[in-house]
Amino acid sequence: MIERKRSPAVFKPGQSGNPAGKPKGARNHATRALLQLMEGEAEEITRAMVDAAKGGDMAAARFILDKLVPAAKERPVSLELPNIDTASDAAGAQNVILQAVAKGEILPGEANVLSGIVESRRKAMETEDLERRIAALENRK
């Protein structure tokens, strides 16, 4: 059996050959090549996609709509919540949110955000109450 000698390591273990890393905004070779091929033809490609969508190509239509009108990440939610002045008010608000989800008026993710807001309000009231109680106890001494 022939033994091969290993060449000495070019880089030390745990040390990058390019410590600065790839510059921000740098494009890889494939992307640059594609952009060069498309140079000057973007208008023609766009026109072909629009024509395909008009001709009934649903994939082309979906592509165009996704680019023109990206999916909304959030939407305004209109929900009548009670004033939250006590912990029981917070429980009532949580119930209103739960009922709205059950009726399909709001999405579960939206309910989660609203519930978090109500919970934050409840915690803030609880903290204020504890501060008042501690101050009252300290004043008695």
Side-chain angles (χ1 to χ4, degrees):
M1 189 185 312
I2 301 174
E3 274 189 45
R4 291 187 175 181
K5 290 187 178 181
R6 291 186 177 185
S7 60
V10 179
F11 303 108
K12 294 178 185 171
Q15 200 172 46
S16 170
N18 184 7
K22 186 172 84 169
K24 233 184 181 127
R27 295 184 167 152
N28 67 27
H29 298 292
T31 303
R32 287 196 310 253
L34 182 61
L35 288 172
Q36 192 171 18
L37 282 172
M38 289 176 48
E39 195 172 295
E41 298 184 38
E43 188 175 332
E44 189 177 325
I45 292 169
T46 304
R47 174 57 40 211
M49 286 293 285
V50 169
D51 290 344
K54 284 182 176 179
D57 183 343
M58 294 311 291
R62 189 175 311 112
F63 178 80
I64 291 169
L65 287 174
D66 285 347
K67 296 302 174 193
L68 292 176
V69 186
K73 301 225 184 316
E74 292 186 18
R75 67 181 180 112
V77 174
S78 179
L79 194 60
E80 187 91 21
L81 294 176
N83 285 335
I84 303 173
D85 297 319
T86 65
S88 62
D89 292 342
Q94 296 285 14
N95 190 46
V96 170
I97 293 167
L98 177 66
Q99 294 303 316
V101 172
K103 293 176 186 174
E105 295 171 354
I106 62 173
L107 299 172
E110 295 165 337
N112 191 33
V113 171
L114 288 173
S115 292
I117 293 169
V118 170
E119 179 62 12
S120 293
R121 173 71 176 130
R122 186 197 62 76
K123 284 180 181 178
M125 290 185 311
E126 188 176 88
T127 301
E128 287 176 10
D129 184 46
L130 287 172
E131 285 178 350
R132 275 194 303 274
R133 289 177 178 196
I134 291 170
L137 288 172
E138 288 174 347
N139 287 337
R140 277 193 208 169
K141 292 180 183 181

